[in-house]
Amino acid sequence: MNGEQRSSTISVLLVEDHQTMLWGLQKLIDSERPRMLVVGTARTCPEALAAAAQLAPDVILLDLDLGGVSMIEFLPELLANGLSRALVLTAAHHTDTLDLAVRRGARGILHKEVSAEQVLKAIGKIHRGELWFDAETMDRVFGQLLGARTPARPDPAQEKHASLTARERAIVSATVEHSGSANHVVAERLFISEHTLRNHLTSIYRKLNVTNRLEMYVYAIRHGLVQPDAVRQRQEPLSGR
């Protein structure tokens, strides 16, 4: 086949191990000449791989099960020439199997009970770069793919917590534990100066979006920054900033 014929004719490789089905598909597709043409057939996996590499057909119409060999595992290799598109023609109805075929590169799935007209229409669409899936398969497979590629939305509270340094977390715990004590008492417990404590608290307030020790106490208890059983409840009012 010369280059001009190749550009205007859809070349098809048939991969099917049932002789009667193979014969029928070849007759069907060749009846569409010059629009479509069967350029090769294969009944085993090695034959299919060799034909795909040598012929680089526009469309590979294949059964997924060749004598007990699953062609799903070989789909990427069948399509390695970068020119062919795979259209699966199968008797299988297991969604997991068909979904895996799509993820491995199949552009369309046809069930063997479809009409001859649908087979030809699907080949044409696949050749034009379109897809041939029923609505249920589209929703299921591409929903999974999009879901896998969409990063989970970060939890704002967790982002705030992650921004705290280990020292700042320790200060939050100590300040909440000694909620009724003045800053200088908390600073003594932490073996730091009151000035250093105030600097740390200013940074903590900014990161947690609070304005004073009371708000920080409420935030820390509500969001689990400290363990409730580690907090000693006191009767004295909370100290100010």
Side-chain angles (χ1 to χ4, degrees), residues 125-177:
K125 280 184 172 291
I126 295 299
H127 176 249
R128 292 195 296 272
E130 301 178 43
L131 302 174
W132 186 277
F133 301 114
D134 57 46
E136 182 180 350
T137 301
M138 289 282 284
D139 290 342
R140 186 176 61 251
V141 175
F142 290 97
Q144 292 171 357
L145 290 175
L146 289 174
R149 292 174 182 174
T150 302
R153 183 174 296 177
D155 182 344
Q158 291 300 322
E159 286 189 321
K160 291 179 182 178
H161 302 172
S163 70
L164 295 174
T165 66
R167 186 58 168 163
E168 287 171 343
R169 284 176 175 271
I171 288 172
V172 170
S173 295
T175 305
V176 171
E177 182 179 353

Side-chain angles (χ1 to χ4, degrees), residues 5 52 57 67 87 94 134 136 142 145 149-150 178 190-191 198 227:
Q5 288 176 315
L87 174 61
H94 301 295
D134 57 46
E136 182 180 350
F142 290 97
L145 290 175
R149 292 174 182 174
T150 302
H178 302 288
L190 291 167
F191 303 102
R198 288 184 179 277
Q227 297 299 319

Side-chain angles (χ1 to χ4, degrees), residues 14 34 40 46 94 96 108 115 117 127 170 177 184 202:
L14 297 177
H94 301 295
D96 290 346
S115 67
E117 180 182 359
H127 176 249
E177 182 179 353
H184 73 273
T202 298

Side-chain angles (χ1 to χ4, degrees), residues 26-38:
Q26 185 163 5
K27 290 293 184 182
L28 172 66
I29 295 169
D30 282 346
S31 71
E32 292 293 303
R33 292 189 185 187
R35 188 168 73 93
M36 295 180 188
L37 175 67
V38 174

